[in-house]
Amino acid sequence: MLKGRDTEDSSLGTSNSQEKQTLPIMQRPIPPEIPWVTTTNFHSLPTPAPSPQLFPPVNAEGFPPSAQEEFSRTVRMGFQNMDNLQRQRLLAELLNSCNTEQLVFVSNYISPRLKRDFLKDLPIELSLHILSFINDPKTLSRASSVSKFWRSLLNDEFTWKNLCVRHHFRRRSSAAPKLPPSPTSESPSRINKFSYKDHFRRRYIVESNWKHGGRTLVTHISPDTGVVTSLQMCQSYIVVGMDNKKIHIFDVSDGKYIKTLSGHEGGVWALQYMDEVLVSGGCDREVRVWDIITAKCKHVLHGHTSTVRSLKMKDKTIAVSGSRDATLRVWNIEEGLLLHLLAGHQASVRCMEIYGDIVVSGSYDCSARVNILSVGYCNR
């Protein structure tokens, strides 16, 4: 009976094997499902697919991601539990194990963390106070290139105002007439805005050019204090009028001091030199005629009732003076006589020029008048 069953089983196995051999390919049984391969993917892949992964992915060190994170966490916690000396030893061992590329990475990572802007960490007022101790404008200019924050600090008017005070760059106030704004004009805040930084830059450039732009031949410092109010240079002399009532004369070739003319009772605000004859005028309302060779005053001409502010010579005989009394006077300086009084201006006569028999004068009344010297009247 057992034999018969074996015979039956063997015949059944034979028939099954024959049946499997005759089945079409698409009707073959599907193999058991693998976790990374589904039946859908198995039948629907249009192109050959990569081999299924039977193990989870690993990183370059051979650890799966979870194990790597656990290892990093353990190292970090161990490092935090060390004292300072142990940390230094560990870091030294790690750095000794690094190659050049890794050391460059460490350097680039650490360098920004070691830089600290001390001005940025301080209050703005304290930062500006620190910068106020810098007196050299070139140092401030270089400091403005450090960072955008430093540049914004150095654009503050407080720093440049203090620098203007230290260098004695005083601001000149001018009272300009106010005009009604036009529809296309800029706002008054933009037009009238004053910048101490721009003011310092202009004054510093001018002063530097005066000091280093040329070669100084001679410098003469008067023993008595005074401001130079008028000056003229010719082929032989340099004549300097001072507000301390004196006139100094220097040699034009070497700049050496020659002599001083004294006699005015006020500051000398106007002078003219021609053919060894010098004419001067000033705050004492007098016009004086000098002989430069002998340094003596030849004539003292009276008539103006206010400061003589301008003066011109036609030749060594005729001179014209303009005053704050709004008049011009034509003088014969050889004989010391008044020839003509030219009136018409409504304010101080500030400047004039002579050409032939014509003298043109300009005044604070915003007008220029043309006068004929020989006849003494205004032509236009």
Side-chain angles (χ1 to χ4, degrees):
M1 184 174 179
L2 293 174
K3 183 178 180 180
R5 180 177 292 182
D6 292 340
T7 304
E8 183 180 357
D9 292 339
S10 61
S11 62
L12 180 61
T14 304
S15 63
N16 289 340
S17 61
Q18 292 176 357
E19 184 179 357
K20 288 181 179 179
Q21 291 178 0
T22 58
L23 286 175
I25 295 176
M26 296 303 295
Q27 296 181 3
R28 292 178 181 176
I30 298 174
E33 184 176 345
I34 303 175
W36 292 280
V37 181
T38 61
T39 56
T40 305
N41 293 336
F42 187 84
H43 290 288
S44 62
L45 288 175
T47 57
S51 302
Q53 297 182 0
L54 301 180
F55 301 98
V58 296
N59 56 16
E61 288 77 12
F63 297 101
S66 58
Q68 182 183 13
E69 292 176 1
E70 183 65 25
F71 175 75
S72 299
R73 188 182 302 108
T74 303
V75 172
R76 186 166 58 252
M77 293 178 62
F79 183 80
Q80 293 174 354
N81 293 329
M82 295 179 182
D83 58 21
N84 189 39
L85 183 60
Q86 291 175 338
R87 290 183 179 185
Q88 292 178 0
R89 289 177 179 175
L90 178 60
L91 291 175
E93 293 178 2
L94 291 175
L95 292 175
N96 289 333
S97 304
C98 295
N99 56 27
T100 304
E101 181 181 357
Q102 294 165 350
L103 291 175
V104 171
F105 168 77
V106 172
S107 176
N108 294 335
Y109 185 80
I110 293 177
S111 295
R113 293 174 175 265
L114 296 179
K115 295 178 181 178
R116 185 173 182 179
D117 190 346
F118 70 98
L119 289 180
K120 200 169 185 179
D121 295 337
L122 297 174
I124 298 295
E125 294 78 7
L126 188 55
S127 300
L128 293 175
H129 181 67
I130 293 174
L131 294 175
S132 67
F133 288 94
I134 302 177
N135 293 326
D136 183 19
K138 293 183 179 179
T139 302
L140 289 176
S141 178
R142 289 192 293 267
S144 65
S145 304
V146 172
S147 65
K148 292 182 179 180
F149 179 74
W150 282 39
R151 187 176 184 85
S152 64
L153 283 178
L154 292 172
N155 283 333
D156 190 88
E157 289 291 289
F158 176 79
T159 303
W160 295 100
K161 182 178 181 180
N162 288 339
L163 210 58
C164 287
V165 173
R166 290 195 185 97
H167 286 258
H168 305 287
F169 293 162
R170 292 182 297 176
R171 177 183 177 183
R172 295 182 179 179
S173 58
S174 58
K178 295 183 179 180
L179 300 177
S182 62
T184 58
S185 62
E186 297 181 356
S187 61
S189 60
R190 294 184 61 186
I191 296 176
N192 300 326
K193 186 176 181 180
F194 179 82
S195 171
Y196 280 100
K197 182 179 180 181
D198 295 338
H199 176 66
F200 180 87
R201 181 173 63 248
R202 288 193 298 266
R203 291 292 303 275
Y204 182 80
I205 291 175
V206 171
E207 188 174 279
S208 300
N209 289 340
W210 274 109
K211 289 182 177 180
H212 310 292
R215 184 168 60 92
T216 303
L217 298 176
V218 176
T219 301
H220 174 75
I221 301 177
S222 177
D224 48 353
T225 59
V227 177
V228 176
T229 52
S230 54
L231 185 145
Q232 184 185 355
M233 183 177 70
C234 59
Q235 293 182 349
S236 303
Y237 305 109
I238 300 173
V239 185
V240 178
M242 311 286 290
D243 70 344
N244 59 6
K245 313 174 186 180
K246 297 180 180 180
I247 300 174
H248 297 300
I249 300 177
F250 303 88
D251 192 319
V252 75
S253 59
D254 54 11
K256 291 184 178 180
Y257 168 77
I258 298 177
K259 64 185 70 174
T260 297
L261 307 180
S262 300
H264 277 287
E265 299 297 329
V268 180
W269 284 84
L271 56 82
Q272 181 77 45
Y273 166 77
M274 185 182 294
D275 296 334
E276 311 300 333
V277 178
L278 173 67
V279 183
S280 62
C283 297
D284 55 5
R285 299 167 292 180
E286 296 176 350
V287 176
R288 289 178 173 260
V289 183
W290 307 83
D291 186 335
I292 288 188
I293 302 299
T294 62
K296 292 183 178 180
C297 180
K298 297 170 61 178
H299 303 288
V300 180
L301 309 177
H302 299 278
H304 285 295
T305 59
S306 187
T307 301
V308 177
R309 197 63 183 82
S310 56
L311 198 151
K312 289 292 181 179
M313 295 175 64
K314 178 183 177 182
D315 49 41
K316 63 179 182 179
T317 304
I318 303 297
V320 183
S321 59
S323 171
R324 287 179 176 170
D325 61 10
T327 65
L328 288 84
R329 293 177 181 262
V330 183
W331 308 92
N332 183 328
I333 56 177
E334 268 192 347
E335 300 178 5
L337 299 175
L338 174 64
L339 299 180
H340 303 290
L341 171 63
L342 304 177
H345 281 297
Q346 303 301 315
S348 172
V349 179
R350 182 62 183 82
C351 58
M352 67 175 70
E353 193 62 55
I354 296 177
Y355 182 78
D357 196 35
I358 298 175
V359 57
V360 181
S361 58
S363 169
Y364 283 126
D365 62 4
C366 304
S367 69
R369 299 178 69 87
V370 181
N371 297 277
I372 307 299
L373 288 175
S374 57
V375 295
Y377 71 89
C378 181
N379 189 30
R380 21 175 111 77

